[in-house]
Amino acid sequence: MKIKYYGTGAGAGIPEIFCSCRVCSHARENRGKNIRTRSQAVIDGKLSIDYPVDTFLHTVYGGLDMTKINHILITHNHHDHFFTNDVISRYQGIKEPIYFYCSKESGAELKKLAEAREEQFHTGKIERTDDCRVVVIELNMFTPVKILDYTVTPLRARHAEHLNSMIYIIRSENKNILWAHDTGKFPADTVEYLKNSGIVFDFISLDCTLKRNAQITGAHMDLDWCVEMTELLRENGNVNDNTKVVLSHIGHLVERTHDELQKEADDFNMTVAYDGMSVCV
């Protein structure tokens, strides 16, 4: 599988609009890997993970072609992961619907929007000028579903519990990925499911939003918590020496430039993601 990171930032990206901290100032001056748009990745060019407010930027500057993507996994309904306002803009002649997979709570807004739009067409209040068809597929925790060539299992995240936020196991015929943004330390039922699954991951991507040793919330992680979760997965048989571990969803709260964070991550054989990075597993 090929994973392409289009956005690797936290909720406000880097640099934050009104911020002049050292990290944001450094990003404006040096750009490159220090610029972080909101979180989005695509697997094998056909399965998107999240659809943030910056999807537009990813199509304009990052090379993302959303016309070829009809399946989108949503972790939760926050603007940096799911920007529903930009969904209803598809062109004429579309042969397939666009499918969004998420919890019932995270999909409610888009589902309501799509249903209201169809009702307006049905009653003649507005004229249909495109072939936009949106399908919201509600997922249940710990229940695998088949999406394209993948088996996807949603797991409980420690984040925005009212939205039933999800992290994901994504499995192909012979490769296994764990995608864990946004979440703090994994909840007990998620750890238990992973332990009992017997899955050994080829690749894991972890939330690293916070400053090291200064965790201001339990809903995200810092480098040390990422190390702790990786070691827990190792103890439970889900990680081995061949597992690639990547850190993403990085905000200025980390208080590190890309190179500084990578230098610290090197001690744990972890890679810090950057916008545009591709990984093959």
Side-chain angles (χ1 to χ4, degrees):
M1 286 191 277
K2 180 180 179 180
I3 302 99
K4 176 72 176 283
Y5 286 86
Y6 288 95
T8 59
I14 298 178
E16 292 202 8
I17 294 172
F18 298 107
C19 186
S20 58
C21 75
R22 184 182 70 89
V23 170
C24 289
S25 297
H26 178 86
R28 291 190 185 96
E29 293 169 6
N30 295 277
R31 304 189 67 79
K33 295 177 181 179
N34 297 286
I35 299 292
R36 298 189 183 277
T37 57
R38 268 62 76 99
S39 182
Q40 186 176 23
V42 174
I43 297 177
D44 296 329
K46 57 187 178 182
L47 176 63
S48 179
I49 307 174
D50 285 331
Y51 186 86
V53 64
D54 287 344
T55 300
F56 169 75
L57 295 179
H58 300 159
T59 64
V60 174
Y61 300 109
L64 174 61
D65 188 352
M66 286 302 301
T67 68
K68 296 179 179 178
I69 296 175
N70 295 308
H71 299 268
I72 302 175
L73 282 175
I74 299 296
T75 55
H76 63 297
N77 187 18
H78 284 167
H79 78 284
D80 58 321
H81 294 267
F82 195 16
F83 189 59
T84 57
N85 290 8
D86 268 354
V87 174
I88 310 296
S89 63
R90 305 191 80 209
Y91 55 86
Q92 291 183 326
I94 297 172
K95 296 180 180 180
E96 294 183 54
I98 184 167
Y99 297 91
F100 288 87
Y101 305 83
C102 53
S103 69
K104 178 180 179 180
E105 293 79 5
S106 286
E109 181 181 346
L110 178 58
K111 194 171 183 179
K112 183 177 180 180
L113 177 65
E115 289 174 351
R117 190 168 183 268
E118 289 302 316
E119 178 63 18
Q120 287 179 313
F121 290 144
H122 180 71
T123 59
K125 291 182 179 179
I126 60 174
E127 181 180 352
R128 188 184 294 274
T129 57
D130 60 46
D131 295 322
C132 176
R133 290 174 290 160
V134 175
V135 179
V136 178
I137 297 179
E138 297 172 359
L139 303 180
N140 297 312
M141 293 291 181
F142 310 111
T143 303
V145 295
K146 190 72 173 177
I147 303 175
L148 297 170
D149 301 324
Y150 313 101
T151 299
V152 176
T153 305
L155 310 178
R156 194 181 316 281
R158 192 180 300 279
H159 186 90
E161 285 80 1
H162 67 289
L163 292 173
N164 261 334
S165 298
M166 295 173 165
I167 61 178
Y168 291 104
I169 299 171
I170 305 168
R171 308 186 71 182
S172 67
E173 184 176 347
N174 57 359
K175 297 293 181 180
N176 303 309
I177 289 174
L178 176 63
W179 192 267
H181 317 167
D182 292 14
T183 187
K185 292 183 181 182
F186 302 162
D189 53 358
T190 289
V191 173
E192 187 68 14
Y193 183 93
L194 288 168
K195 181 178 181 179
N196 294 334
S197 72
I199 297 171
V200 179
F201 291 105
D202 300 281
F203 177 90
I204 61 177
S205 189
L206 298 174
D207 180 293
C208 190
T209 304
L210 304 176
K211 181 181 178 181
R212 196 172 184 183
N213 296 317
Q215 302 94 340
I216 60 173
T217 173
H220 290 286
M221 293 195 286
D222 71 333
L223 176 58
D224 289 333
W225 282 2
C226 288
V227 172
E228 182 179 337
M229 289 298 97
T230 302
E231 289 309 306
L232 177 62
L233 293 174
R234 184 184 297 274
E235 291 171 11
N236 291 342
N238 301 123
V239 163
N240 61 26
D241 291 342
N242 296 319
T243 304
K244 295 180 180 179
V245 182
V246 172
L247 308 179
S248 190
H249 201 274
I250 297 160
H252 72 166
L253 292 175
V254 172
E255 296 188 8
R256 301 288 189 274
T257 67
H258 175 85
D259 288 344
E260 290 168 349
L261 183 57
Q262 182 60 70
K263 184 176 180 180
E264 293 185 2
D266 284 341
D267 291 338
F268 308 101
N269 197 29
M270 294 177 172
T271 299
V272 178
Y274 54 87
D275 288 17
M277 185 178 85
S278 293
V279 181
C280 291
V281 296

